[in-house]
Amino acid sequence: MLTPEDLRLIDRLHGGLPLSDRPFAELAAELGCSEYTLIERVHGWLTAGVLTRFGPLFQIERAGGRFVLAAIAVPEERFDAVAAIVNARPEVAHNYRREHALNMWFVVAAESPAAADAALACIEAETGLPVLAFPKEREFFVELRLPLVDAAAALETEEADDAA
Amino acid sequence: MPLDAFDRELIAATQGGLPLVPRPYEAVGAMLGVPGERVRERLAQMLEQGLVRRIGAVPNHYRLGFTANGMSVWDVADEQVDTLGERIGALAGVSHCYRRPRHLPAWPYNLFAMLHGRSRAEVEAQAREVETLLGSACRGHDILYSTAILKKTGLRI
């Protein structure tokens, strides 16, 4: 169970890891803990699956690459087999099951538009199912930042209510 | 600006995560046969160029209590979608907002906004805000909740 303090720390670690020789030491000094403690906590959260990754997030489109959102309507009885085929492709950066007739939604990240199209064509051929591509035509806002500080405050309120 | 050989090596070495050691950039440099300083300099440039979005933690939102993750999709009049998309992207709770192609007749939606909440009620409250903002420009919408993360590795080159 994560504590409000954990949520605040994860929020602080969202971005901005210093580009200094000892970035964890620098952050630890700011947070009032030790470098070792900070590294151990990040390690623990990765092991527990609270974090999926810790490091640089590349926006490959700035170097000619391409991200394409795509969806497949997968027959329920084939769902796991199709997921295995889709997930096996290294170009597939993430894949989610969603409640809809189009029940599998994934993102292909490739070094060029042609490579992205080729990956989608391969998935279509290997699964035998139509792949609908939803390339972005315009980006209005991208900042996957969960309101963790608000969540920490809410958690504290709930705890106070429980105690009352 | 295409990637050069060093960039490709740097991305390959760090896309799965930084080594969790006191000197992570030095450790990456050691893998690539360059000083840590070269790694830090290039990452700083990449941040400036937008080729690196951020350096930090990628959370599993389910494990952080955000169990309701809805991809809200909207059928918005073409002539208004860009103006309205900007305003929806600025709403709190919307993490990604894109205009994407329709696939008629099955898929009439052209605006996608990801909504995250600790319950479906929270997500639905956010969706009502979007609906109000879109007003008569919106001809219909749906919310596709995720029920499982099948893969989440991020970019791999």
Side-chain angles (χ1 to χ4, degrees):
Chain A
M1 184 64 193
L2 295 169
T3 65
E5 191 218 336
D6 289 333
L7 292 178
R8 288 200 179 89
L9 185 49
I10 292 170
D11 186 69
R12 174 61 190 84
L13 293 172
H14 179 81
L17 184 75
L19 281 163
S20 56
D21 185 39
R22 293 179 68 171
F24 294 107
E26 198 178 321
L27 265 184
E30 177 198 315
L31 297 166
C33 63
S34 78
E35 180 186 36
Y36 176 80
T37 306
L38 189 57
I39 291 174
E40 279 305 296
R41 293 190 81 176
V42 173
H43 181 71
W45 285 325
L46 282 168
T47 308
V50 169
L51 301 182
T52 58
R53 226 164 352 126
F54 187 87
L57 265 82
F58 294 98
Q59 165 45 302
I60 198 72
E61 288 176 320
R62 291 293 165 92
R66 186 133 201 240
F67 287 102
V68 182
L69 175 69
I72 309 179
V74 184
E76 234 8 87
E77 67 278 10
R78 287 189 59 200
F79 196 88
D80 291 347
V82 171
I85 293 170
V86 171
N87 291 354
R89 294 216 68 89
E91 298 91 347
V92 173
H94 26 89
N95 186 6
Y96 288 87
R97 183 180 181 119
R98 294 191 182 278
E99 289 177 352
H100 192 270
L102 289 168
N103 52 0
M104 188 179 290
W105 289 79
F106 54 94
V107 171
V108 162
E111 282 190 65
S112 67
D117 291 346
L120 292 175
C122 281
I123 290 170
E124 203 161 59
E126 285 174 30
T127 60
L129 296 168
V131 174
L132 292 189
F134 296 90
K136 68 183 163 209
E137 295 174 335
R138 183 149 169 197
E139 177 174 311
F140 300 111
F141 185 74
V142 178
E143 172 60 279
L144 180 51
R145 180 140 205 190
L146 301 170
L148 292 180
V149 171
D150 291 350
L155 209 56
E156 278 166 349
T157 308
E158 282 163 22
E159 280 166 6
D161 289 349
D162 288 346
Chain B
M1 60 202 129
L3 301 174
D4 67 19
F6 177 67
D7 287 344
R8 299 177 56 85
E9 284 180 23
L10 181 57
I11 293 172
T14 58
Q15 62 195 353
L18 282 175
L20 294 176
V21 296
R23 292 189 163 84
Y25 307 116
E26 198 64 41
V28 172
M31 285 187 258
L32 305 181
V34 299
E37 210 181 337
R38 171 107 193 266
V39 171
R40 292 193 270 132
E41 280 171 5
R42 185 59 190 128
L43 284 175
Q45 287 168 352
M46 286 174 157
L47 266 171
E48 206 162 290
Q49 294 163 350
L51 185 49
V52 168
R53 242 188 231 291
R54 59 185 170 93
I55 304 175
V58 182
N60 175 340
H61 33 267
Y62 291 88
R63 296 295 304 274
L64 294 178
F66 289 80
T67 51
N69 299 283
M71 183 173 76
S72 71
V73 293
W74 308 81
D75 175 6
V76 182
D78 287 333
E79 59 280 11
Q80 285 170 278
V81 65
D82 287 346
T83 316
L84 289 166
E86 291 290 345
R87 294 175 59 193
I88 286 163
L91 289 176
V94 174
S95 67
H96 300 50
C97 188
Y98 299 105
R99 172 159 64 85
R100 301 186 185 277
R102 296 183 175 93
H103 286 277
L104 295 171
W107 188 265
Y109 310 110
N110 59 340
L111 185 71
F112 288 55
M114 292 299 311
L115 306 173
H116 303 276
R118 291 185 299 148
S119 66
R120 290 197 178 187
E122 268 186 30
V123 169
E124 272 145 33
Q126 290 166 4
R128 278 194 296 276
E129 268 188 75
V130 174
E131 200 173 3
T132 306
L133 219 156
L134 290 174
S136 60
C138 175
R139 291 177 294 239
H141 81 279
D142 199 353
I143 303 176
L144 280 69
Y145 288 100
S146 62
T147 50
I149 299 178
L150 305 170
K151 183 177 185 181
K152 189 175 178 185
T153 50
L155 173 74
R156 291 291 185 274
I157 67 166

